[in-house]
Amino acid sequence: MPERAKIKEVFIIHGYDSSPRKNWFLWLESELKKHGGIKVAILDLPDSQNPNLNLWIQILRQAISPSKQTFLVGHSLGCITILQYLQTLDCVEIGGVVLVSGFAKALPSLPLLDGFTHTPLDYSKLKAMIHKRVVLSAKDDSIVPTTLSKELAQNLGADFIQTQEGGHFMDSDGFRTFPLALEKLAKMMG
């Protein structure tokens, strides 16, 4: 088997009003790069204050060549972006997803993001495509209600991990590092 086939690829997908330099993304990239055989990319999605689902999906399609060695980490709007992207693909399997503060229904407080949830998710297709699935949420998330993250996990057949505190897992919530996300991703990758 070629050595390249063993290289795992991790793509980190940020959310609304965010960037690769915010929150815990650079820390996660740094931690993953300490281990050999892992390539990491934090995708820079354009116009994050006025996001466009079709444009964001196009960026993912250009950046990712999905395989069983591909792992996707999404935060907030990045989670639904990942899932909408994946369901546009045919005959693909990926290693796994870690979805942080994910949702698949409209957020009443952020109608600007409704375009990301208009197309219903094909959960059967997604479960067949994604080998391992984890959703992380905090009970005190004031942006994405934890009930929406739990519902997403149930529909995806994902492990659901809910912390008592953590808010929306942003730097403003004290999250410049995120050991729980790293632990779940590392376990997923073997």
Side-chain angles (χ1 to χ4, degrees):
M1 179 178 289
E3 189 62 31
R4 173 147 173 71
K6 295 181 182 176
I7 295 175
K8 293 180 176 16
E9 292 186 303
V10 176
F11 294 89
I12 302 168
I13 314 301
H14 67 73
Y16 170 66
D17 195 22
S18 191
S19 78
R21 294 160 298 287
K22 288 190 173 184
N23 305 317
W24 38 270
F25 311 137
L26 289 171
W27 173 83
L28 182 60
E29 176 187 43
S30 172
E31 290 297 307
L32 289 169
K33 284 185 172 179
K34 290 177 182 177
H35 306 281
I38 302 174
K39 286 174 51 178
V40 187
I42 310 171
L43 299 188
D44 193 358
L45 301 170
D47 203 6
S48 72
Q49 292 180 328
N50 188 27
N52 177 289
L53 176 61
N54 292 328
L55 180 57
W56 281 23
I57 287 175
Q58 183 181 341
I59 301 289
L60 269 64
R61 288 183 81 106
Q62 291 168 354
I64 302 168
S65 297
S67 76
K68 291 179 184 177
Q69 302 301 316
T70 303
F71 296 85
L72 305 175
V73 178
H75 179 243
S76 193
L77 191 63
C79 299
I80 187 71
T81 302
I82 286 170
L83 298 174
Q84 293 286 11
Y85 152 73
L86 286 173
Q87 72 179 16
T88 68
L89 306 177
D90 291 317
C91 302
V92 168
E93 293 179 56
I94 67 165
V97 295
V98 175
L99 305 175
V100 179
S101 298
F103 61 95
K105 288 186 173 173
L107 299 175
S109 62
L110 289 167
L112 172 71
L113 309 181
D114 287 356
F116 283 74
T117 56
H118 278 322
T119 302
L121 294 175
D122 181 344
Y123 290 106
S124 296
K125 179 178 181 176
L126 290 167
K127 287 192 268 190
M129 296 174 86
I130 308 165
H131 287 211
K132 297 178 181 170
R133 304 169 297 275
V134 173
V135 175
L136 305 178
S137 176
K139 277 190 176 180
D140 63 346
D141 190 331
S142 63
I143 297 172
V144 174
T146 193
T147 53
L148 292 183
S149 294
K150 184 175 185 177
E151 183 179 326
L152 175 63
Q154 289 170 337
N155 289 333
L156 269 179
D159 292 339
F160 180 65
I161 296 149
Q162 183 186 64
T163 61
Q164 290 297 313
E165 296 177 329
H168 197 55
F169 301 111
M170 297 188 303
D171 41 20
S172 58
D173 297 311
F175 281 80
R176 298 298 296 166
T177 67
F178 198 179
L180 178 62
L182 176 62
E183 173 195 330
K184 295 304 169 187
L185 181 59
K187 183 178 179 186
M188 187 179 284
M189 294 192 299

